[in-house]
């Protein structure tokens, strides 16, 4: 049985204000990772942070990609879930890189900005993962093999 078309559309309706906010926050973090005064005692930590933040932005972009070209709805949702998991993984890697920072004139501002971005990103991810999970679950609830109460 196919997905409810309205539920499917709603799951891919990324709020433009939220996505613009995430992009702006991410761009500021990238700017700071390159230009701000951030210190660490670990050699190579700041360049690694830049790389992890770039990957994070790339994975956010992937999650936001239009999947309407995928003909099978189930594959469209599964692809979105996979992109979301990749985004979570890149966030974890960025977290590890950011934890190595411990000083510099801009450290406190960067840390506050990073934590605010992280919170907003996780709320965004969790919202869409819930919608996609509900869609996938509906396939099994409506299957002939599903147990009845």
């Amino acid at each position: 049985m196919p997905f409810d078309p309205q539920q499917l559309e709603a799951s891919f309706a990324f709020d433009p204000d939220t996505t613009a906010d995430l992009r702006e926050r991410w761009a500021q973090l990238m700017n700071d990772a390159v230009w701000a005064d951030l210190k660490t005692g670990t050699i190579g930590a700041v360049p690694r942070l830049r790389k992890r933040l770039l990957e994070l932005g790339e994975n956010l972009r992937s999650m936001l990609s239009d999947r309407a070209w995928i003909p099978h709805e189930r594959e469209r949702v599964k692809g979105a879930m996979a992109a979301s998991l990749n985004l979570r993984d890149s966030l974890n890697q960025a977290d590890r890189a950011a934890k190595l920072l411990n000083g510099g004139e801009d450290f406190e501002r960067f840390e506050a900005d990073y934590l605010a971005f992280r919170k907003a990103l996780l709320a965004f991810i969790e919202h869409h993962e819930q919608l996609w999970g509900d869609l996938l679950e509906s396939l099994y609830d409506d299957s002939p093999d599903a147990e009845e109460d």
Side-chain angles (χ1 to χ4, degrees):
M1 175 176 222
F3 293 126
D4 175 321
Q6 290 178 328
Q7 193 178 5
L8 181 66
E9 285 302 312
S11 75
F12 287 102
F14 300 115
D15 177 60
D17 293 335
T18 301
T19 57
D21 179 60
L22 289 171
R23 286 179 63 179
E24 186 177 307
R25 288 174 187 258
W26 172 81
Q28 184 59 51
L29 290 173
M30 281 301 302
N31 184 65
D32 288 348
V34 173
W35 298 107
D37 179 31
L38 301 171
K39 305 281 189 221
T40 177
T42 306
I43 295 174
V46 175
R48 190 174 314 117
L49 174 65
R50 290 181 198 125
K51 180 179 177 184
R52 297 300 178 222
L53 287 173
L54 180 59
E55 290 168 353
L56 185 60
E58 290 171 340
N59 282 306
L60 175 57
R61 174 66 181 101
S62 175
M63 184 174 158
L64 295 171
S65 291
D66 182 14
R67 289 182 167 71
W69 63 270
I70 301 172
H72 301 291
E73 296 169 339
R74 182 173 180 265
E75 297 307 314
R76 194 178 313 164
V77 173
K78 285 174 58 180
M81 285 290 278
S84 183
L85 291 174
N86 287 338
L87 180 56
R88 278 184 180 273
D89 182 54
S90 66
L91 178 60
N92 287 334
Q93 291 182 35
D95 286 350
R96 284 193 287 276
K99 285 179 184 173
L100 295 175
L101 299 177
N102 57 14
E105 193 174 305
D106 300 315
F107 171 70
E108 286 183 20
R109 182 183 47 78
F110 177 83
E111 183 179 47
D113 289 350
Y114 181 81
L115 292 174
F117 170 76
R118 185 182 192 287
K119 181 179 179 180
L121 181 61
L122 281 172
F124 175 78
I125 291 170
E126 290 165 2
H127 171 74
H128 287 282
E129 283 180 348
Q130 181 67 49
L131 295 174
W132 294 325
D134 289 348
L135 281 169
L136 292 174
E137 190 68 31
S138 73
L139 288 180
Y140 298 107
D141 289 345
D142 295 337
S143 73
D145 297 335
E147 294 181 27
E148 298 195 17
D149 292 330

